[in-house]
Amino acid sequence: MSGSESTTTGSLLVVSAHAGDFVWRAGGAIALAASRGERATVVCLSYGERGESARAWREGHSLEEIKAIRREEAGNAAAALGAEVRFLDAGDYPLVESQELVDQLVRLYRELSPTVVLTHTLTDPYNGDHPAAARMALQARVLAQAIGYDAPGDPLGAPPVFFFEPHQPEQCDFRPDVLLDITEVFDRKRKAMECLPAQQHMWDYYTDLAKRRGVQLKRNAGPNLGLAHSTMGEAFVRLYPQVTGELS
Amino acid sequence: MSGSESTTTGSLLVVSAHAGDFVWRAGGAIALAASRGERATVVCLSYGERGESARAWREGHSLEEIKAIRREEAGNAAAALGAEVRFLDAGDYPLVESQELVDQLVRLYRELSPTVVLTHTLTDPYNGDHPAAARMALQARVLAQAIGYDAPGDPLGAPPVFFFEPHQPEQCDFRPDVLLDITEVFDRKRKAMECLPAQQHMWDYYTDLAKRRGVQLKRNAGPNLGLAHSTMGEAFVRLYPQVTGELS
Amino acid sequence: MSGSESTTTGSLLVVSAHAGDFVWRAGGAIALAASRGERATVVCLSYGERGESARAWREGHSLEEIKAIRREEAGNAAAALGAEVRFLDAGDYPLVESQELVDQLVRLYRELSPTVVLTHTLTDPYNGDHPAAARMALQARVLAQAIGYDAPGDPLGAPPVFFFEPHQPEQCDFRPDVLLDITEVFDRKRKAMECLPAQQHMWDYYTDLAKRRGVQLKRNAGPNLGLAHSTMGEAFVRLYPQVTGELS
Amino acid sequence: MSGSESTTTGSLLVVSAHAGDFVWRAGGAIALAASRGERATVVCLSYGERGESARAWREGHSLEEIKAIRREEAGNAAAALGAEVRFLDAGDYPLVESQELVDQLVRLYRELSPTVVLTHTLTDPYNGDHPAAARMALQARVLAQAIGYDAPGDPLGAPPVFFFEPHQPEQCDFRPDVLLDITEVFDRKRKAMECLPAQQHMWDYYTDLAKRRGVQLKRNAGPNLGLAHSTMGEAFVRLYPQVTGELS
Amino acid sequence: MSGSESTTTGSLLVVSAHAGDFVWRAGGAIALAASRGERATVVCLSYGERGESARAWREGHSLEEIKAIRREEAGNAAAALGAEVRFLDAGDYPLVESQELVDQLVRLYRELSPTVVLTHTLTDPYNGDHPAAARMALQARVLAQAIGYDAPGDPLGAPPVFFFEPHQPEQCDFRPDVLLDITEVFDRKRKAMECLPAQQHMWDYYTDLAKRRGVQLKRNAGPNLGLAHSTMGEAFVRLYPQVTGELS
Amino acid sequence: MSGSESTTTGSLLVVSAHAGDFVWRAGGAIALAASRGERATVVCLSYGERGESARAWREGHSLEEIKAIRREEAGNAAAALGAEVRFLDAGDYPLVESQELVDQLVRLYRELSPTVVLTHTLTDPYNGDHPAAARMALQARVLAQAIGYDAPGDPLGAPPVFFFEPHQPEQCDFRPDVLLDITEVFDRKRKAMECLPAQQHMWDYYTDLAKRRGVQLKRNAGPNLGLAHSTMGEAFVRLYPQVTGELS
């Protein structure tokens, strides 16, 4: 979606280390934003060509072929969710942090003026690229706020940041403090997952996880909220304090 | 306020160890709820007659006199905030935990059906009554949810719980994750504070704190929110994950 | 099973707050122990008659009827796992801690000489009975070790203690450090779950969880371990350091 | 030992910032692995020539002399433990992290296919080289698992990682969760320590520590394990969850 | 020592669960205070007659005999350190918390006006009596500060509290933030330890620990402090922030 | 002040990311050291020209102008406190870590032989330059201790390190464990603050904070310390254990 016809100022930015991460971990949040008419943009720092394409390597594909495959699949998945996608092609395994890459992110922040930012957790003992992506996403967000930082556009406000759920949440110090109801857009998330055929076993895995987070969502909301039995959820951790005019 | 004429279902319950706690720590949240037409109820487990009335003791008042003074002052402060107050007179220093007291709280939960609950932090090395109050408030909330618990009324839903700010936040593991904008009701909070003449030095202290939390509120909200320079805030910690249909 | 004909010294003790907890959370560990010919004993401190029997209450059953139903179901489930079960009928919601109850547990420790102990986590903001059960299980274990504690039998050794998985693990500070492969006994666990007809929606929920822990188990074990795609797992947290003669 | 004649698949890899670290902190674990006929390899990223050779500097030795001394001593100590040693000579104080060094480690992982990995803790306010070594050891382990990473050999499995004990454990967030019984090989560890004459005061210090960890080992194992009074121990922290078929 | 002839206002209060704890864990701090002419008082809540007298039970002594033995030994040890000792005989294994016992402690605080308080850690998975003692010591300290608490004497100030070192520090969340140089009084501590003949193996164990803490003390103090090679130390954790007029 | 005429060995080193940080966060500690006749040196790694000079940018100043303004203001503030100031002009937003910059700090440590070091916290989600400055300050301190590190001067001792208070303490894991009484030098701190006219709103903000820390200081010191009602305080976190000959 382009968001150009939207009258809302909502703009979601998702910073993802590899091409598929945003689908499993934040597909529901992205589809929800898009369904509200907000702009949703996914930035893939790499294609996950080395670290998350085992099957393609076993099938004998070349590096460039793998990148092309991943790019196409991620584009399809983003479209299914209603989001735009940008690829920075910074390489993975390892995703090397650099000021150049941070600067590219600063420019994106200035261009997109996100009102909400999603990224990886800062701890992940299974995948160093994830925290590297998160650190750069956070550093760029702070730099983009400074009028003195030399990049086009106006200084950024202070959009809230949410970490999306890693594969082994407890090992990544991921203690959810926000449970998002994605029931109404779960079909879109499932369709987006099905754009990634090499990881077919993940489709059911993340469907099960959405059910599990949905059960917890109901348990934390109480019977009064009138949630259906088939509630689907996504879990997030909020980095900065919530600012609000009403406790709820 | 009784809330009987209210058309909203909002009901705020504040569980306070002593008679004055709710004013300093949650006066803004209470006034905000009342200003929205919600029912707001403060439960004072004790009057703070032994532990928080040093001046009255030094002036030679008897225990019963002190309790009467504190009761009146807390009643005035609650009225200034637009809240109802209940006194359980369970004694302080120490506030002794008992199943009888928990049962009284269960009955209050069932009667009031709170949609939001505020209480003390679970850690406070300066005042054991505060965590004792919090533990009872939390236990009663869970018991009130069980249809099998023998008390009048319907089982409680799952109202969110927020811890309000202790006097020395860092020593009480108080890391705010909700900053509440209380600017529009700060006058009422100040008036409520002034109902407690024995602690006059606290008036400015908690006014300063509200300014400080207001500055942090603005910093976390960004310039886009259009907050005025004189924003006043209160800080809270959320116990259970937030349940929401939109990240913001 | 009684274990009387067993030649192994293994003895598993599971301390459970309510009648059903051990099935969902530790059914695999129990079935594994039994399948190795070890003695497995479940102690249910209460029947979960008030807090975990919502459906029976809504159906209009009396307290005594509910206790009888829960007792029979838990007995069936334990039998399906190959375990013995003891009911202490101490009441739930709240499960009130007392020295008398701790003393009963000390006597059980002395009688059974467990080599492994399983119980609830020490933190659970959704259910105060769970930490209460855990605290008593841990206190009794330490008391049973003292020759000076006045109870029949020899002093206990130092059996390792594992916390089993709560319903909302991250909210209970549950960071798994042991992943148990229960693939070979999962059928028994499923049969035991099916002994609890009032909670039919939990059957699939905990089957999904077992798959999810199984995936994590494979990820932490590496491809070399030759685990099948359908590995099922249970997660635990170890309280005391592991004592070993070999790192692995 | 070369392990070439061994029929076991065990392969221990120890990643050490400086030339002496592995002796004090993991000598027992290394000697145990070797005594079981496993391959044991120590990688010293530096000789500790600047930061851990104060006496040699005070005696006026040149940098090259100090490196040669440290190399010989570490080689002798490794031999006493039954381990092979590799020196990467990457410099210390500071040990600068680089992708080149990580790549060397990836190649070692691929060559050695370790089944167990030991390294420093990720926190050490007294010595920045230690966490730097640990970060590189962990990053390389993850990279070596990816089929897409361009280095000779097969992708690595998922060997468990243990952090060995730093000099001031509590300041390094070192909370032991594995206590290893090294009684039977302590003589070898002592001999290896005595290969480092410049730090003679450490011999008794680490002998005392082994006793202390031995006492804790007995206390956590209980009387039933039949441990002798002179049990000697080494403490470790496990990074990833233990995968097991039996709780014990 | 009675302190009556002392001109200093220093008054050290040590709250110990069992009769021997104060010797191993705080003997140096006690002897230092006494050597400065301060009053030092040890309160033993129990004799440790059930939980810490295994040898006496195995030798067939009766409960009363054991209490008498422990009382005499602890008295001798206190005398060797220069401290007074009070026995509250509240029973151990378990040490049951009660308001009566807390009240006795409040009266002691009011009587002794301690300027420094030492007690056990709040976490100890090996011994529930230790945290129970600490909780009562802390609760009593806060109650004694309230003018409204009904006990003889003046309200207490706010003496700093230090936790002394448990047997397995890391398992008790004991991260030392104060290292006390006890070199000059270590002989007295050793003599006090030798007053406890049933635990002879502890004499060397705690001498080794004192050396180990001494090495850490030197490492944290730097070479400039001119500490001797044989520095002996005790480790503590400070509960409340240090109040000072100078950073050092 | 140069300290050349001083007979004390005290030497305070403050490592500050930007030119203004030391005034708000450590002005009291600096003025106290100077008032005792100690040498006090502030190192500003950058001028804060990009990230902390929003007003100057809005007024249209050039980068070089802004740096000049900040340099002069910081110099005035340091003089008001009695401190010397060094500017390393390493750039901000981001402050890029480098071994060259660390080496400059090592040389300063060797030159100044600080007996106390102050710097930023290691966590600050609002400003990445702060933790970057702290990491370099800590790494340089350790390197300066090594005789083998190639820089002029004698190896450094082990000066204690204190983190000063960040703008949003709880979000930066800042749990004060030292409260410094700055009452007698608060006037100087106020004057130093007034040297920074672009941040006039901060003058009162940090005056209020000093009052608030002063109230906490009194609460932790007790009535016995005879503190006046107008006590002003600064809060710090100690990185390494305190080494002392007396608990207090």
Side-chain angles (χ1 to χ4, degrees), chain A residues 7-232:
Chain A
T7 58
T8 134
T9 59
S11 171
L12 174 69
L13 175 62
V14 184
V15 181
S16 177
H18 310 108
D21 294 332
F22 68 92
V23 185
W24 318 112
R25 315 195 183 298
I30 296 168
L32 270 179
S35 74
R36 285 192 305 264
E38 297 178 15
R39 181 173 194 179
T41 311
V42 177
V43 181
C44 294
L45 300 180
S46 80
Y47 297 106
E49 60 268 21
R50 295 191 182 280
E52 316 223 316
S53 307
R55 191 160 112 178
W57 285 101
R58 281 194 295 265
E59 290 171 356
H61 289 289
S62 71
L63 181 63
E64 288 310 313
E65 285 169 347
I66 291 170
K67 286 163 72 169
I69 294 167
R70 300 273 296 180
R71 181 184 180 103
E72 188 184 352
E73 290 175 358
N76 293 341
L81 297 169
E84 194 185 345
V85 63
R86 310 270 182 106
F87 298 100
L88 299 193
D89 194 13
D92 77 328
Y93 266 65
L95 171 60
V96 179
E97 292 176 76
S98 72
Q99 283 310 125
E100 292 68 32
L101 200 46
V102 169
D103 184 65
Q104 285 185 274
L105 288 172
V106 173
R107 288 161 192 272
L108 275 168
Y109 274 105
R110 288 270 177 93
E111 172 195 344
L112 299 167
S113 287
T115 53
V116 172
V117 178
L118 308 183
T119 192
H120 296 270
T121 51
L122 287 165
T123 300
D124 189 337
Y126 298 97
N127 194 317
D129 291 358
H130 295 165
R135 284 191 299 263
M136 288 189 285
L138 296 178
Q139 190 187 14
R141 174 184 168 280
V142 169
L143 297 180
Q145 295 176 325
I147 186 175
Y149 188 92
D150 187 18
D154 289 327
L156 184 70
V161 177
F162 299 87
F163 300 123
F164 44 65
E165 180 163 352
H167 201 62
Q168 301 201 48
E170 299 95 345
Q171 309 303 322
C172 301
D173 297 338
F174 184 81
R175 186 176 184 270
D177 50 25
V178 180
L179 294 169
L180 181 69
D181 186 343
I182 62 166
T183 311
E184 63 174 292
V185 297
F186 186 75
D187 282 352
R188 286 206 212 175
K189 177 168 181 174
R190 177 80 194 198
K191 280 206 185 66
M193 293 198 285
E194 292 173 2
C195 295
L196 308 174
Q199 291 156 293
Q200 191 166 347
H201 59 286
M202 303 280 263
W203 304 351
D204 283 354
Y205 184 77
Y206 277 95
T207 300
D208 286 346
L209 178 61
K211 281 185 205 159
R212 191 156 172 263
R213 292 301 184 194
V215 170
Q216 292 174 355
L217 193 152
K218 282 181 286 183
R219 185 120 186 220
N220 284 286
N224 294 342
L225 216 68
L227 293 166
H229 194 67
S230 56
T231 303
M232 307 298 268

Side-chain angles (χ1 to χ4, degrees), chain D residues 27-39:
Chain D
I30 296 168
L32 271 179
S35 76
R36 285 191 306 265
E38 298 179 15
R39 182 172 193 176

Side-chain angles (χ1 to χ4, degrees), chain C residues 109-177:
Chain C
Y109 274 105
R110 289 272 178 95
E111 173 197 341
L112 298 167
S113 287
T115 52
V116 172
V117 177
L118 309 183
T119 191
H120 296 270
T121 51
L122 287 165
T123 300
D124 189 338
Y126 299 96
N127 194 317
D129 292 359
H130 294 164
R135 284 192 297 265
M136 289 191 283
L138 294 179
Q139 189 186 19
R141 175 183 167 282
V142 168
L143 296 180
Q145 294 177 323
I147 187 175
Y149 189 92
D150 189 18
D154 289 327
L156 185 70
V161 176
F162 299 88
F163 300 122
F164 45 65
E165 180 161 352
H167 202 62
Q168 301 201 48
E170 298 96 346
Q171 309 304 323
C172 301
D173 298 336
F174 183 82
R175 186 177 185 269
D177 51 24

Side-chain angles (χ1 to χ4, degrees), chain D residues 7 40 62 92 128 138 145 155 165 177 189 200 202 204 229-230:
Chain D
T7 58
S62 72
D92 78 329
L138 295 179
Q145 294 176 324
E165 179 160 354
D177 50 25
K189 178 168 181 175
Q200 190 165 347
M202 302 281 261
D204 283 353
H229 195 66
S230 55

